[in-house]
Amino acid sequence: PLLRALEVLRRQAKKPAVREVLQSVRDRIADGASLSDAMQAHPQTFDAVTIGIVRAGEEGGFLEESLRRNGLLRERADE
């Protein structure tokens, strides 16, 4: 499901740079990396807090919830 979701996001991205990052993250995961490790390869896109939240979700078995919470944090920060 994660690889499919990243592919859908990549196809929907309007900016070429975003498409490239999503493709890279997807490729790294397909090669066996965790999501947090794949994201960590792009520090210009994903900050340390986001990577930490994702890593905690992976290790604790609640990745879906950690992604949801991170989305809420980002929405609040943008407001």
Side-chain angles (χ1 to χ4, degrees), residues 1-16:
L2 181 56
L3 292 175
R4 281 184 281 164
L6 288 167
E7 182 59 28
V8 169
L9 290 172
R10 186 192 67 77
R11 281 193 233 139
Q12 292 177 352
K14 298 195 185 312
K15 296 181 180 181

Side-chain angles (χ1 to χ4, degrees), residues 35 49-73:
L35 176 59
V49 171
T50 298
I51 294 167
I53 290 170
V54 170
R55 188 175 313 277
E58 290 170 331
E59 292 175 2
F62 52 91
L63 178 58
E64 185 177 342
E65 180 60 25
S66 68
L67 291 172
R68 186 176 300 116
R69 286 182 186 215
N70 188 61
L72 291 172
L73 286 171

